[in-house]
C-alpha cells in the first residue's frame, strides 16, 4: 500500500500529464485515508501552514522585482555593463550569471527567488550571446540552488534548530562550499563555451565601459542597496525582496522612464500568475510532506540504514543517497525537519562533525531542488521561462553531475567546511 | 492584459460553450486583479514596516500577519486564473507520446481527477473553515477571524474546480497544444 | 486489535516540552497497557504552533504542547498566566499552577472550542537576550526587542521605553546578527539550545514572568475514547506535568551554565531597580485582563492562589 501511494500512484498520474499540485494532493488524500487513518481536515491545515511562512514571501516579491527589472531597463543596463567589462573573455556571460546568482545568494535564502530575479536579468543576454535557451535556463535552474548553500540560508537555520547547532557557525561553514560550487560551475560554463565555440565579444574598451557604467548607475545601486540594507541591519533578507520591488518600480518609472505605472500593473498581474503556478505546488507539497512525516516512512528508512552497520565512508554514501531521494520530493525546510532528527544521531555515532554534516545535508537537499522529476526550481523555471519540463530534465544533467562531484568532495573532505571555522576561532 | 496573460481561444461552437467562455474569462480576469492588489499591498506594507521600524522605531505590529494572509489570498485567487488559462505545471512526458485518441482520454481523466481532488479537499476545507467560524478563532496580531484567510483556500479550490469544468465546456477536449517558447 | 494512535507535537527539541512528551508517552503506555500508541513529533514537524492547535481542535492530530500564549486566539484567558509580577520564583509558580482549584479552572479553558487541557507546568522565567550589555532599567530605552504579538508582552516592552518588534522565529537570528533588532524576550534554555550567544551574548535575568507550557488534547478524539483510556490520558497528563517540573529546573540550570561556558554573559538588575521594574510591570496583568470579565475572574483567581503559596 505504501509503495502504491508514495510511488506508483504519483508517477502514473504525472505520466498522464496531471497538474503537479493535483498529483500531490491525490497522493496525500489517498495516504491519509488508506494508510494513516487521518481525517482529511489535516490537508487543509497543512496547505495553510505551508504558505503561512514568512520566508516564502521572498518568492512573490523577487518574482515581481525580477519582472520589473527585466522590463524597466535595469536588467539591460546591468548586462551591457557586464558585457562591456568582461565581454572579451570566453564564457563571460554565463560566468557573470553564476557570479550574480552567488551574489544574490548572499542576500536571499530562497532559490526560487534567485531563479526568478537573476534569470530574468541574464537569460535574454545569454541568448543574445549565442547560448541556447535550454542551456541558459538549465544554467539558472541549477545555479539558483547556490542560494541555499551561501549564507544566509533558511534551510541552514532550520538545520541548526533541529540539530541544535549554531546557525552562525553553519553559515560560516557554508561559505567555502558555496564558493566551490560557484567556481566549478564557472569552470564548466567556460569549457561549454569553448566546446561550442561561442563567439567572444569585443575586447573591453575604457570608453565603452564608461558609457555603460554611466547608464547603469541606478541599476548597479539595486544590489548595493539590498545588500547594504541587509548587512547594515535595516531590513531582513525576506524584507529585502519588497524593498527591491519598490526600488525597481521607482527607477524604471521615474528615473529611466521606460515603464508607465499602467505597465507596472500589467507586470504585477503576470507576476501573480507565475506566483500562483509555483506556490500552489509549494502548498500541495506541504500537505504531502505532512503525510510523509507522520507515516513513519523516513524513520523506517533510516533504521534500515542504521541496522546495516556500514563503514563510515559507506554510511556517508548511503546518507547522501537517502538525502538526494528525500530532497527530490520534499523542499529543504520540510526535509530537514523530518530527516535531521533521524540522521544526526547516526552521524554522531559515526564521529562526524555536526557542522560538516549540516553542510552535507544542505547541499544534498539543494541538489534535490533541481533533480528530476520533482524539484521546485525545475517547476519555477518552467513557469517563468516556459521551457518544457522534459527538455529541462535533459538540460540540467551536466549540472547535476557537477553537483554530485562537489557533493562527494564536500562529504569526504571535511576541511573544506571546517577550515574557516578554525580560522575564525 | 498582455497577449501572454490573456490567451486567444478558438471561436465557440455553441451557446453553452460561448457562455462558459465568457464566464471563465470574467472570473479569471477578476481573480488575477484581486491577486495583483494583494501583491502590491504586500509590497507597500513591507516597506512601511521597514521604514517605521528603522527610522521611527515604530514597526507595524500586524505587518507580518497581514502580508502572509495577503500571500494566501494572492496564491488562491491567481490559481483560478492559472486554472482557466490551463497553465498549471505538469509533466507532459508520456502524454506527448500517446496517440491522439488516448491523449484525449488521458486529458478527460486528468480533468475528472482535478475536479474531484479540488472538491474533495474543498469539502474538508469547508469543515475546518466553518468550525473556525463557529469558534470565532482569532489571529494573534490583527485579531482577525482566522476563518477569513483560511477561507481563501476553500474559495480557491472551489473556483479551480469550477473553472476546470467551464474550461471543458468552453474548449472541449481538443484545445490546441500550447507551447510557451 | 490495533492500538489507537495518538500524535502529539511541540515546537522545540530536547527541552522541557519534549521531555514532557516522553514522560507522558511512558505513562500512557503503562496505564493503557499498549492500547494507545503515543507518537512524538518535536521541532514543529507537524507544523507551526497555531496549525498544531487547529489540528488538535479538529482531530487531525491528538495533542499539542506549547506556551499558553499561543492559544490566546482560541481564548484570551490562556494568555493571563504570562502576566509579569505575579510570581516571585519558579517554585511559587509551580505550587500555584498545580493548586487543584486553579489547575482545574485553567485546564477547562477551550473546552467549548475542541480542546481539553491535561497539564500545565513552568518552563523557565522570562529573560531578555540583547546584543549590547543591559544592566540598568535605562539601558532598555530605545532597544528594538522581538516579542510575540500579544498585549501582555508588547505592553511590557512599551513600559520599558523600548520598541516591541514582532518577527517570525526564522528571521530572528539573521536580524539579531545584523542588528535589525537589538534583542528579544525569551527563556534561557531555548536561547542556549539555539546558540544565540553567537549573535547576542548578553542575557539579563529579569525573571519578571513565568513562561509556562500547557498540554491540550483533541476533545473530539478524547470524547470518543473508552472511559478507562480517558482516565489514563488525563492522569498521565497531570502526572507528567508534575514529574517534568524538577527536570525543567535542572535543565535550566545546565543551560545557564552552558551559556556562560560558551562566552555568553549573564547580568541582573541591581535590587533597587529590580523592585522598581516589578512595580512598573505588575499592573499589566490586571489592565489586560480587565478587558474581558472571564479573563478578569481567572486572573483574580491566579493572584489569589499565588498569595497562598508563599
Ligand atoms: Na543564501
Ligand atoms: Na527534486
Amino acid at each position: 500500500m505504501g509503495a502504491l501511494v508514495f510511488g506508483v500512484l504519483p508517477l502514473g498520474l504525472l505520466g498522464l500529464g496531471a497538474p503537479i499540485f493535483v498529483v500531490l494532493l491525490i497522493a496525500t488524500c489517498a495516504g491519509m485515508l488508506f494508510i494513516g487513518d487521518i481525517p482529511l481536515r489535516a490537508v487543509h491545515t497543512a496547505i495553510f501552514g505551508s504558505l503561512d511562512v514568512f520566508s516564502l514571501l521572498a518568492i512573490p516579491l523577487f518574482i515581481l522585482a525580477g519582472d520589473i527589472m527585466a522590463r524597466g531597463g535595469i536588467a539591460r543596463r546591468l548586462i551591457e555593463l557586464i558585457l562591456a567589462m568582461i565581454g572579451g573573455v570566453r564564457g563571460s556571460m554565463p560566468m557573470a550569471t553564476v557570479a550574480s546568482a552567488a551574489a544574490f545568494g548572499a542576500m536571499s535564502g530562497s532559490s526560487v527567488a534567485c531563479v526568478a530575479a537573476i534569470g530574468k536579468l541574464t537569460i535574454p543576454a545569454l541568448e543574445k550571446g549565442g547560448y541556447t535557451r535550454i542551456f541558459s535556463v538549465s544554467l539558472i535552474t541549477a545555479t539558483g540552488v547556490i542560494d541555499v548553500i551561501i549564507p544566509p540560508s533558511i534551510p541552514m537555520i532550520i538545520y541548526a534548530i533541529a540539530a541544535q547547532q549554531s546557525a552562525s557557525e553553519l553559515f560560516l561553514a557554508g561559505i567555502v562550499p558555496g564558493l566551490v560550487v560557484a567556481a566549478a560551475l564557472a569552470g564548466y560554463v567556460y569549457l561549454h563555451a569553448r566546446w561550442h565555440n561561442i563567439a567572444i565579444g569585443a575586447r573591453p574598451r575604457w570608453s565603452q565601459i564608461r558609457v555603460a557604467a554611466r547608464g547603469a548607475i541606478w541599476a548597479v545601486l539595486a544590489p548595493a542597496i539590498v545588500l547594504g540594507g541587509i548587512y547594515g541591519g535595516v531590513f531582513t533578507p525576506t524584507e529585502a525582496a519588497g524593498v527591491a520591488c519598490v526600488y525597481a518600480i521607482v527607477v524604471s518609472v521615474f528615473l529611466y522612464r521606460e515603464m508607465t505605472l499602467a505597465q507596472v500593473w500589467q507586470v504585477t498581474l503576470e507576476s501573480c500568475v507565475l506566483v500562483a503556478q509555483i506556490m500552489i505546488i509549494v502548498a500541495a507539497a506541504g500537505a504531502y510532506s505532512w503525510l510523509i512525516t507522520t507515516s513513519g516512512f523516513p524513520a523506517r528508512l533510516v533504521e534500515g540504514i542504521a541496522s546495516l552497520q556500514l563503514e563510515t565512508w559507506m554510511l556517508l554514501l548511503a546518507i547522501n543517497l537517502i538525502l538526494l531521494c528525500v530532497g527530490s520530493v520534499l523542499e529543504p525546510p520540510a526535509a530537514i525537519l523530518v530527516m535531521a532528527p533521524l540522521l544526526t544521531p547516526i552521524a554522531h555515532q559515526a564521529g562526524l562533525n555536526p557542522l560538516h554534516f549540516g553542510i552535507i545535508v544542505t547541499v544534498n537537499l539543494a541538489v534535490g531542488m533541481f533533480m528530476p522529476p520533482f524539484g521546485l526550481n525545475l517547476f519555477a523555471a518552467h513557469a517563468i521561462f516556459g521551457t518544457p519540463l522534459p527538455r529541462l530534465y535533459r538540460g540540467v544533467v551536466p549540472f547535476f553531475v557537477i553537483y554530485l562531484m562537489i557533493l562527494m568532495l564536500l562529504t569526504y573532505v571535511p576541511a573544506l567546511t571546517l577550515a574557516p571555522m578554525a580560522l575564525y576561532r | 492584459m498582455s497577449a501572454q496573460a490573456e490567451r486567444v481561444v478558438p471561436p465557440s461552437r455553441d451557446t453553452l460553450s460561448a457562455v462558459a467562455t465568457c464566464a471563465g474569462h470574467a472570473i479569471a480576469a477578476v481573480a488575477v486583479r484581486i491577486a495583483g492588489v494583494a501583491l502590491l499591498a504586500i509590497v507597500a506594507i513591507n516597506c512601511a514596516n521597514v521604514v517605521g521600524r528603522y527610522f521611527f522605531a515604530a514597526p507595524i505590529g500586524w505587518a507580518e500577519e497581514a502580508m502572509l494572509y495577503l500571500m494566501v489570498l494572492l496564491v488562491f485567487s491567481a490559481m483560478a486564473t492559472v486554472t482557466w488559462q490551463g497553465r498549471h505545471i505538469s509533466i507532459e512526458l508520456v502524454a506527448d507520446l500517446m496517440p491522439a485518441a488516448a491523449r484525449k482520454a488521458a486529458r478527460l481523466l486528468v480533468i475528472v481527477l482535478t475536479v474531484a481532488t479540488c472538491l474533495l479537499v474543498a469539502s474538508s476545507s469547508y469543515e475546518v473553515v466553518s468550525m473556525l467560524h463557529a469558534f470565532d478563532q482569532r489571529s494573534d496580531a490583527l485579531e482577525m477571524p482566522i476563518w477569513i484567510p483560511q477561507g481563501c483556500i476553500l474559495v480557491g479550490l472551489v473556483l479551480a474546480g469550477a473553472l476546470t469544468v467551464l474550461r471543458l465546456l468552453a474548449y472541449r477536449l481538443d484545445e490546441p497544444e500550447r507551447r510557451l517558447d | 486489535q490495533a492500538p489507537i494512535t495518538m500524535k502529539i507535537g511541540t515546537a522545540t527539541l530536547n527541552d522541557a516540552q519534549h521531555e514532557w512528551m516522553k514522560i507522558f508517552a511512558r505513562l500512557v503506555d503503562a496505564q493503557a497497557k499498549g492500547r494507545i500508541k503515543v507518537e512524538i513529533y518535536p521541532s514543529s514537524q507537524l507544523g507551526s504552533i497555531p496549525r498544531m492547535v487547529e489540528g488538535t481542535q479538529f482531530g487531525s492530530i491528538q495533542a499539542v504542547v506549547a506556551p499558553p500564549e499561543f492559544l490566546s486566539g482560541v481564548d484570551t484567558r490562556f494568555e493571563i498566566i504570562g502576566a509579569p509580577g505575579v510570581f516571585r520564583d519558579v517554585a511559587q509558580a509551580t505550587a500555584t499552577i498545580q493548586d487543584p482549584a486553579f489547575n482545574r479552572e485553567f485546564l477547562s479553558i477551550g473546552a467549548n472550542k475542541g480542546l481539553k487541557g491535561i497539564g500545565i507546568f513552568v518552563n523557565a522565567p522570562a529573560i531578555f537576550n540583547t546584543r549590547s550589555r543591559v544592566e540598568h532599567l535605562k539601558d532598555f530605552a530605545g532597544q528594538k526587542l522581538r516579542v510575540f504579538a500579544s498585549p501582555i508582552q508588547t505592553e511590557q516592552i512599551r513600559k520599558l521605553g523600548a520598541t516591541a518588534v514582532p518577527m517570525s522565529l526564522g528571521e530572528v537570528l539573521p536580524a539579531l546578527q545584523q542588528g535589525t533588532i537589538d534583542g528579544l524576550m525569551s527563556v534561557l534554555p531555548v536561547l542556549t539550545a539555539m546558540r544565540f550567544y553567537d549573535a547576542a551574548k548578553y542575557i539579563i535575568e529579569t525573571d519578571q514572568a513565568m513562561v509556562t507550557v500547557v498540554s491540550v488534547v483533541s476533545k473530539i478524539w478524547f470524547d470518543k475514547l473508552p472511559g478507562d483510556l480517558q482516565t489514563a490520558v488525563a492522569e498521565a497528563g497531570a502526572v507528567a506535568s508534575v514529574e517534568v517540573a524538577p527536570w525543567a529546573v535542572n535543565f535550566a540550570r545546565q543551560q545557564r551554565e552552558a551559556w556562560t561556558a560558551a562566552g555568553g554573559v549573564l547580568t541582573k538588575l541591581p535590587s533597587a531597580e529590580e523592585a522598581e521594574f516589578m512595580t512598573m510591570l505588575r499592573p499589566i496583568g490586571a489592565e489586560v485582563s480587565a478587558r474581558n470579565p472571564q479573563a478578569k475572574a481567572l486572573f483574580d483567581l491566579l493572584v489569589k492562589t499565588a498569595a497562598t503559596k508563599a
Side-chain angles (χ1 to χ4, degrees), chain A residues 327-329 368-371 374-375:
Chain A
S328 96
V329 188
M369 290 200 74
F370 74 95
M371 187 171 98
F374 282 102

